[in-house]
Amino acid sequence: MTWAAQAAHELAVRGHEVTVLATDLGAKGAPRSEVLPDGVCIERDHGWNFGGLLARPALARVARRAVASADLVVVSGFWQGPVAAVCEAARDAGIPAVLVPHGGLSPWVWARRAPLKRAFFKFRGARAIAAASAVHFVSDREAGTAIGLSADTRRIVSPPGVDFDFWMPDDDEREVARAGAAVSQRKAMLAWAGRFHPVKGLDLLPAAFAPFARLDWELVLVGHDHESEVAASLNRAFADAGIGNKVVFVGGLDAASLRALLRSADGFVLPSLHESFGFAAAEAAACGCAVAVSDACGIAGAAAGDGFAVLPHEPPAWTDWLRAVITRVAGGRRSAGCRERLEPILSMRASWDRTDALYREIAAKR
């Protein structure tokens, strides 16, 4: 998970001793124990998925041993069996625990598999919240819409950071990349990156783009699951709207390739029905793109302003924003970005200064 990896690294390089307890899911063949170059120690044991929930019976025993020498326990995730066990192990040892649910307490997530979620919350989730010293949200919106918290649950908010030294504009690369792809400087290029999943709200885009069938633009959609049924259905919708020839579906890209795309793009769209934050939008903004996100994205509260539009999930609002971007590029003008405005609040340093201070304060109350 992006946030957990970032948290472990950033806290370690700040001088904290960090041990990560993890499963081997997604890391088959990895050693049971290893120390990374940044000093993070990783301890893995076997885990498996059961009905979409992570099962790891041995974790409670491992956690009880590990927390004995800890000053703070950070639990990343929510709809996994071990979460309550780890929070309770920390509480029983007198160690503060911070629970980071990653959007898991949002109304949209609760509505999926609702009977299973209600049962899990009754027997596990509520225990995890009760045992935690605080719940860490990555946006005010995530904190404000969270379900299942009691009146005395402490909520802390600290957005994740973006590496502005990596995600940055490069006009030379933009010109080379667009020339290599035969994309003129006056052709508007829009981009999106993520999972082809209903939560991403992509079904809004065909109607939003449809009025521009005769204008010069291209939409590039990036996702590892670009051959999924959700992607196929979206592709058909673009074709039905008469703009299928202007939309390009590509597979997943590594970070450097995605950066090259964002440097070449004029705008980035994120019409999600739910995002606890919205990393992709932040990275696009750092690369100089004009950005539009739905008002269901957590990043909206921190980033809204010039160059970063927050829109309702209704095609007409997106059509108006797209028209401004496309016509501006056709007129030989780049879309106004918001990198300089966002860097002071969303840089890695700013993010982890906030988080480090909050975690130190919670640990001090042991």
Side-chain angles (χ1 to χ4, degrees):
M1 176 175 304
T2 301
W3 184 91
Q6 185 185 107
H9 171 76
E10 290 298 323
L11 293 172
V13 298
R14 287 166 177 262
H16 300 290
E17 183 178 327
V18 179
T19 299
V20 176
L21 305 181
T23 71
D24 58 1
L25 290 172
K28 298 298 182 183
R32 292 288 297 272
S33 179
E34 64 177 320
V35 179
L36 303 183
D38 57 12
V40 174
C41 177
I42 300 180
E43 301 289 341
R44 299 183 180 89
D45 65 31
H46 183 61
W48 63 91
N49 279 316
F50 178 74
L53 300 176
L54 172 67
R56 189 184 176 194
L59 185 58
R61 295 192 300 273
V62 174
R64 289 190 182 95
R65 293 196 301 269
V67 302
S69 59
D71 296 303
L72 181 71
V73 175
V74 179
V75 185
S76 179
F78 186 76
W79 299 105
Q80 294 89 30
V83 167
V86 176
C87 290
E88 290 175 332
R91 180 198 59 196
D92 294 345
I95 308 298
V98 175
L99 178 61
V100 191
H102 300 295
L105 298 177
S106 75
W108 193 93
V109 172
W110 270 76
R112 311 279 82 76
R113 293 181 174 179
L116 179 61
K117 294 281 175 64
R118 286 194 295 268
F120 179 91
F121 186 84
K122 178 179 180 180
F123 294 105
R124 294 289 184 86
R127 288 167 40 200
I129 293 171
S133 305
V135 181
H136 177 171
F137 297 102
V138 295
S139 67
D140 289 328
R141 185 181 193 283
E142 184 193 12
T145 61
I147 294 174
L149 304 184
S150 65
D152 59 354
T153 300
R154 181 178 180 187
R155 309 180 193 208
I156 62 173
V157 178
S158 181
V162 175
D163 187 351
F164 278 76
D165 292 332
F166 179 84
W167 302 101
M168 63 185 303
D170 187 320
D171 289 340
D172 291 338
E173 183 174 26
R174 170 188 169 86
E175 292 184 11
V176 170
R178 289 176 72 108
V183 177
S184 75
Q185 295 300 321
R186 295 201 175 195
K187 179 176 185 176
M189 179 186 290
L190 289 302
W192 169 88
R195 295 178 299 143
F196 287 98
H197 187 282
V199 73
K200 297 303 180 179
L202 297 172
D203 56 342
L204 169 148
L205 295 180
F209 276 97
F212 311 123
R214 296 183 181 277
L215 299 184
D216 197 15
W217 57 272
E218 179 177 275
L219 172 63
V220 181
L221 302 170
V222 180
H224 288 283
D225 51 349
H226 66 293
E227 296 181 346
S228 66
E229 178 51 39
V230 172
S233 177
L234 181 63
N235 197 10
R236 290 192 294 270
F238 280 118
D240 292 343
I243 53 176
N245 62 326
K246 295 178 176 291
V247 182
V248 180
F249 288 75
V250 300
L253 300 177
D254 60 30
S257 299
L258 179 58
R259 180 181 61 183
L261 171 65
L262 295 177
R263 286 171 168 175
S264 301
D266 299 292
F268 184 88
V269 294
L270 190 67
S272 300
L273 300 174
H274 161 70
E275 294 279 351
S276 55
F277 184 64
F279 267 108
E283 291 163 356
C287 286
C289 292
V291 175
V293 304
S294 74
D295 53 14
C297 295
I299 190 176
D306 291 344
F308 199 107
V310 179
L311 307 174
H313 199 267
E314 301 168 358
W318 292 77
T319 295
D320 289 344
W321 181 84
L322 291 166
R323 180 180 290 108
V325 173
I326 293 170
T327 56
R328 195 160 44 229
V329 175
R333 294 174 292 132
R334 289 287 303 279
S335 297
C338 53
R339 174 188 169 89
E340 292 185 1
R341 180 170 62 82
L342 295 189
E343 186 171 6
I345 57 175
L346 292 182
S347 69
M348 298 289 273
R349 178 171 182 175
S351 169
W352 290 100
D353 279 350
R354 288 189 299 267
T355 305
D356 193 357
L358 286 167
Y359 284 6
R360 284 179 181 273
E361 186 236 322
I362 293 169
K365 293 183 177 179
R366 176 178 175 178

